[in-house]
Amino acid sequence: YAQADIRTLIVKGYAASRMYPKPDHRSVGDIDIYLYGKGEEGDRLMKAQGIEIRQNEDKHSTFTFDNAPVENHATFVNVVEHPSLRELEECLEQEARAARFDESIGAYIPTAFADALFLSHHLAGHFVYGGARLKQLLDWAMLTTKYGKEIDWNRVMGIADRAGYGRLLRCLNGIVVTHLGVPEGIFPKWERDRQLECRILSEMLHPERQT
């Protein structure tokens, strides 16, 4: 991609691992990339190497490179199916332009504000479909512990509310404060629903026990 003058932003799991004390301790399922509007060009490069490209969603294509599954995101979220996410998508695209280059991996890493938006929305989506797990909750704890003081939480909360997952986001904040040692003072004051927090945490840790 770099040789073809395509800038690469790494998002979600692998980018989140960079916030861990030992990045290798964070398991990574696939690699998510954003090519700044050159997604189709990036896919053509892969096809030229004999790699099969699959367009399985409006927002991204997928392929396998060196045995690693890759998702090439045309957009960060699926605004075709969910128009209410347009503001979120616009914010993430704007923040992508402010991403920092990580020389150790030769690609860009999201800003803390972008991670606060994208990781929380991604976790919310997984939760709805029963796929939210401890590792995503740990990602949230790592992000908020390391960068929480520099994130505009009122803006994050406002965007999350308008996108429809603000209530879940507040519960996530309560969970990482109570159970994972994140300082409560990082977040603005908010009304906690501790009963709902317990239900959400239980479902994430023991999905098979829920009815």
Side-chain angles (χ1 to χ4, degrees):
Y1 289 149
Q3 291 174 354
D5 195 29
I6 298 177
R7 186 166 51 163
T8 304
L9 176 68
I10 307 289
V11 296
K12 291 187 344 191
Y14 186 78
S17 75
R18 314 300 292 177
M19 295 182 284
Y20 283 65
K22 294 185 178 181
D24 289 347
H25 286 181
R26 201 282 187 186
S27 63
V28 178
D30 53 21
I31 299 174
D32 295 83
I33 60 175
Y34 175 72
L35 301 181
Y36 292 88
K38 294 187 177 181
E40 292 184 2
E41 186 177 340
D43 282 347
R44 286 195 294 271
L45 285 176
M46 294 299 106
K47 288 179 181 179
Q49 298 185 53
I51 295 174
E52 180 185 0
I53 303 294
R54 296 174 295 280
Q55 187 70 44
N56 63 332
E57 284 191 34
D58 292 311
K59 67 184 173 77
H60 62 64
S61 59
T62 63
F63 58 91
T64 300
F65 185 85
D66 282 352
N67 295 319
V70 180
E71 292 186 354
N72 177 11
H73 287 253
T75 60
F76 291 96
V77 296
N78 195 335
V79 295
V80 174
E81 292 186 6
H82 305 285
S84 62
L85 300 180
R86 172 60 62 185
E87 180 186 9
L88 175 62
E89 175 66 27
E90 290 175 352
C91 286
L92 289 170
E93 290 180 8
Q94 180 180 0
E95 283 297 303
R97 294 192 287 271
R100 65 178 179 84
F101 187 74
D102 188 324
E103 293 185 358
S104 67
I105 60 173
Y108 287 82
I109 296 294
T111 65
F113 182 73
D115 269 336
L117 289 174
F118 198 28
L119 291 180
S120 60
H121 174 265
H122 181 66
L123 194 158
H126 272 278
F127 183 79
V128 168
Y129 294 103
R133 295 295 181 263
L134 179 60
K135 70 176 182 180
Q136 288 142 345
L137 192 60
L138 290 173
D139 290 346
W140 192 246
M142 292 294 172
L143 170 68
T144 52
T145 297
K146 189 168 185 177
Y147 297 112
K149 291 183 179 179
E150 62 187 68
I151 294 172
D152 184 345
W153 286 110
N154 287 319
R155 188 180 176 204
V156 170
M157 298 285 195
I159 293 171
D161 283 335
R162 292 186 288 276
Y165 66 99
R167 189 180 181 194
L168 177 61
L169 174 55
R170 288 170 175 81
C171 286
L172 294 179
N173 292 345
I175 291 169
V176 296
V177 165
T178 298
H179 299 282
L180 295 176
V182 176
E184 188 171 13
I186 283 176
F187 305 108
K189 291 187 180 298
W190 78 100
E191 184 177 350
R192 294 182 60 174
D193 185 336
R194 294 178 185 270
Q195 183 176 4
L196 184 58
E197 289 172 15
C198 289
R199 286 185 60 191
I200 289 171
L201 180 60
S202 177
E203 187 165 331
M204 291 178 68
L205 297 180
H206 311 289
E208 71 282 359
R209 298 182 186 177
Q210 305 305 309
T211 57

